[in-house]
Amino acid sequence: IEKFPGVERSMLIIPAIDLKDGQCVRLRQGLMDDSTVFSDDPVAVARRWVDAGCRRLHLVDLNGAFAGEPVNGEVVTAIAAAYPDLPIQIGGGIRNLETIEHYVRAGVSYVIIGTRAVKEPAFVAEACRAFPGKVIVGLDARDGLVATDGWAEVSEVKATDLARQFESDGVSSIVYTDIARDGMMQGVNVEATIAMAQASSIPVIASGGITNIEDIRALKAVADQGICGAITGRAIYEGTLDVAQAQRLCDEVA
């Protein structure tokens, strides 16, 4: 699942750093006006999770998701420069190859294509050809239907159907977010995550609703279905989940 040497195939705990106006924030259900600022120093936040033993970071340019172009790119570049050996994935406002190239040059390992993947699936294949192994597709769903544009629009497309379309493109993984649970601390939607993992051969990274170690345990129990990681945000900032403990649990051999 992982393409980096020396990393075993256990499920990854991936701390989220959501960027808004240069600060690290968390939103509830993707609402920009319902945000909590956790830090005005995102590089220091990255250091905190690296020190806790994370093996990948998940960055989101929230302003970029709504603007359709990178807004917090300087912060992303600073984090990538501070931790050149750490795999970093970035999403939010990635709508063209130029943006992908900018991030790859900055040292980012993976770019997450969300809105454009839904609206123009052929772009995913194009991006995978141009940047092999670097492309993740972000599928955000409410009641199984895909949402776009910073979750402002909900489509009629089933997330699992869309996942199948990308199967032959060379997508590294799919970040699957259950919007209804995101930032709400209500527990992860294990059933929907399994359904997404089973829909295609692409590894799935779970996102949305992860609250405590029990959620990680529940995901780990079904990780062999094709779940390669779990993104966690509010839980690690509010202290209901310990990154080091969660990763240790995932690394334990059953």
Side-chain angles (χ1 to χ4, degrees):
I1 293 171
E2 272 290 337
K3 296 182 173 63
F4 288 82
V7 176
E8 67 279 15
R9 288 175 171 244
S10 56
M11 195 172 81
L12 291 178
I13 301 300
I14 310 174
I17 299 179
D18 289 2
L19 302 167
K20 179 186 177 190
D21 307 330
Q23 298 176 310
C24 174
V25 305
R26 287 301 294 166
L27 307 186
R28 290 181 192 273
Q29 297 187 312
L31 300 171
M32 283 291 265
D33 55 1
D34 191 357
S35 65
T36 305
V37 176
F38 283 103
S39 173
D40 57 7
D41 187 350
V43 177
V45 174
R47 185 181 313 121
R48 176 180 171 187
W49 305 133
V50 170
D51 290 347
C54 82
R55 297 201 289 268
R56 191 189 288 201
L57 280 178
H58 175 78
L59 308 184
V60 182
D61 183 347
L62 292 170
N63 303 100
F66 288 89
E69 61 185 15
V71 176
N72 291 284
E74 288 181 16
V75 178
V76 176
T77 300
I79 293 173
Y83 297 100
D85 298 325
L86 180 73
I88 292 172
Q89 57 192 49
I90 171 74
I94 298 172
R95 311 278 165 90
N96 56 54
L97 295 180
E98 291 74 24
T99 299
I100 298 174
E101 183 175 19
H102 166 80
Y103 278 133
V104 169
R105 283 179 183 272
V108 172
S109 304
Y110 304 98
V111 294
I112 302 168
I113 303 174
T115 293
R116 193 162 178 201
V118 179
K119 295 187 171 180
E120 196 182 332
F123 174 65
V124 172
E126 183 185 0
C128 287
R129 283 195 299 272
F131 302 96
K134 299 284 187 185
V135 176
I136 292 173
V137 168
L139 295 181
D140 307 325
R142 190 187 294 278
D143 300 324
L145 299 176
V146 173
T148 62
D149 299 289
W151 303 348
E153 306 289 331
V154 178
S155 71
E156 295 298 307
V157 180
K158 285 182 68 174
T160 47
D161 289 345
L162 193 57
R164 288 186 196 98
Q165 289 188 39
F166 301 123
E167 194 147 25
S168 60
D169 290 340
V171 171
S172 161
S173 56
I174 289 173
V175 171
Y176 178 65
T177 305
D178 184 323
I179 300 175
R181 308 221 183 182
D182 188 71
M184 302 303 287
M185 306 281 283
Q186 292 175 346
V188 67
N189 190 333
V190 177
E191 295 77 16
T193 306
I194 293 172
M196 174 57 67
Q198 291 177 338
S200 81
S201 60
I202 305 169
V204 170
I205 298 171
S207 171
I210 291 169
T211 307
N212 54 41
I213 198 74
E214 293 308 316
D215 287 318
I216 302 303
R217 193 168 277 118
L219 283 172
K220 184 191 178 189
V222 294
D224 59 355
Q225 303 286 320
I227 301 169
C228 65
I231 293 168
T232 173
R234 187 172 287 273
I236 58 174
Y237 291 98
E238 296 191 353
T240 62
L241 181 68
D242 181 280
V243 170
Q245 179 193 17
Q247 188 61 65
R248 278 197 304 271
L249 172 68
C250 292
D251 292 343
E252 287 174 4
V253 179

